[in-house]
Amino acid sequence: MKAMVLDGGTLALTDIAEPVPGAGQLLTRPLVCGVCGSDLHAKDHSDHLCNLLHRAGFRGFMDPAKPVVMGHEYCCEVLENSGGFARGQRVVAQPFIAGPDGVELIGYSNRFNGAFAEQMLLQADAAFAVPDHVPTDIAALTEPLSVAVHAVAESGANANAAFAVFGCGPVGLFVIRRLKALGFGPVLAIEPNAARREMAARLGADAVLAPGDAAGEGWWNDLGLPLGLSDAMAQAPELKKRERAILFDCVGKPGMLMAIGAAAPVGATITVVGTCMETDPIEPAFFLQKALQLRFVFAYSPADFADAFAMISADPDSLAPMVTGSVGLADVDRAFASLSGGGSDIKLMVTPT
């Protein structure tokens, strides 16, 4: 079968062996698969990414010296009656599969190929049947939406908080959409790209600003959540429209934590979702003086994935703007280049067959 194989930092359309399902596994045909920011990093910096995951103790992550077929944000068609699913049924599934050495991550496994291929295996007990009313490309957003569902849950978000999302790439936009789906707000979106600011507004952000816009401080002041320590100490309790602030770092670049700390109201929680792959110095005493809390979140739980799938099934149209284009299997490299260039595309989909 055909697959887009990453080998030595180069993507190439190659013939590989068809997968053979084992116990508890589904043989499927990928219908569509999103390109993730982690895929971009894995292509150009696989040694760095793998070293980090291995140091963190994830034994099921790929060996960068061996070929890998990426693709973990997928919707697939079942090819054989198995695991309670009928042939032809569309499914989404968590990208985890049980191998002989333990759990491996589909799309970053040298043993199990991801969805940039004509066939793939899924773990049957991690799969969900896609309802007829949910478009295939929207169903494929379940996995990345799960990251936002987890981040919002771990942030301690509730109706008594006000929110800011820094970075309106896919992760930041999903966080905005999740907050609004839960009825939380107001939500401030901060993003340098004008097209992405517009997308943030479409997905429900109550206010949208460019980084460094002085209006940000006024927005927090109007909510009774001052940025400065003296102002916070003098703040009359009856003027507080929300009890606290929760900010999401969905950028993941050096310098962002200090920048967000400076733009955060006193006592805020900063939830770090964006993956900064470099050493990033911070000044702990500054965070201490403003009583800021840092919370780092990664991936999601099976319950988060189920919640994301339920959210999509309940209102698939609300996430439709996220899908901004598609390419065939032979053009995966072009999709990577487009997304790495920082243009207006949000979520590009690969249609492998």
Side-chain angles (χ1 to χ4, degrees), residues 45-56 58 61-65 277:
H45 307 284
S46 60
D47 286 344
H48 185 190
L49 181 64
C50 294
N51 175 266
L52 188 150
L53 267 294
H54 294 157
R55 283 191 288 123
F58 186 16
F61 205 72
M62 67 184 191
D63 180 346
M277 301 295 293

Side-chain angles (χ1 to χ4, degrees), residues 116-335:
F116 297 156
E118 293 178 326
Q119 294 182 13
M120 69 183 298
L121 299 177
L122 300 178
Q123 193 76 28
D125 59 9
F128 294 81
V130 177
D132 291 342
H133 72 279
V134 178
T136 298
D137 54 355
I138 306 303
L141 298 177
T142 303
E143 197 280 339
L145 177 60
S146 301
V147 175
V149 168
H150 180 69
V152 169
E154 289 294 303
S155 74
N158 58 38
N160 293 322
F163 306 88
V165 176
F166 290 75
C168 295
V171 172
L173 292 170
F174 280 126
V175 168
I176 292 168
R177 190 64 237 142
R178 178 60 175 174
L179 289 169
K180 301 307 290 188
L182 293 171
F184 296 160
V187 179
L188 170 66
I190 301 171
E191 163 61 43
N193 183 291
R196 293 188 173 191
R197 290 199 298 271
E198 180 181 351
M199 184 65 74
R202 290 182 66 185
L203 291 175
D206 298 284
V208 183
L209 299 175
D213 192 320
E217 182 171 3
W219 191 81
W220 289 115
N221 284 337
D222 289 344
L223 290 168
L225 298 170
L227 307 191
L229 187 57
S230 294
D231 290 339
M233 294 171 67
Q235 176 67 56
E238 64 271 16
L239 296 181
K240 291 183 68 173
K241 297 178 183 176
R242 291 292 186 274
E243 289 183 1
R244 63 197 182 100
I246 298 175
L247 295 79
F248 294 87
D249 172 12
C250 299
V251 179
K253 291 184 178 180
M256 280 306 303
L257 291 181
M258 285 303 299
I260 293 175
V266 171
T269 296
I270 301 172
T271 302
V272 183
V273 195
T275 304
C276 179
M277 301 295 293
E278 302 174 47
T279 300
D280 186 12
I282 64 170
E283 192 173 4
F286 180 81
F287 285 81
L288 185 150
Q289 296 300 321
K290 291 186 68 173
L292 301 177
Q293 299 182 46
L294 281 177
R295 180 171 291 181
F296 294 83
V297 298
F298 174 69
Y300 45 83
S301 68
D304 295 322
F305 191 92
D307 285 349
F309 182 68
M311 178 176 157
I312 284 176
S313 298
D315 188 10
D317 290 344
S318 68
L319 289 172
M322 293 282 290
V323 179
T324 53
S326 64
V327 300
L329 190 59
D331 292 321
V332 169
D333 208 2
R334 181 167 62 84

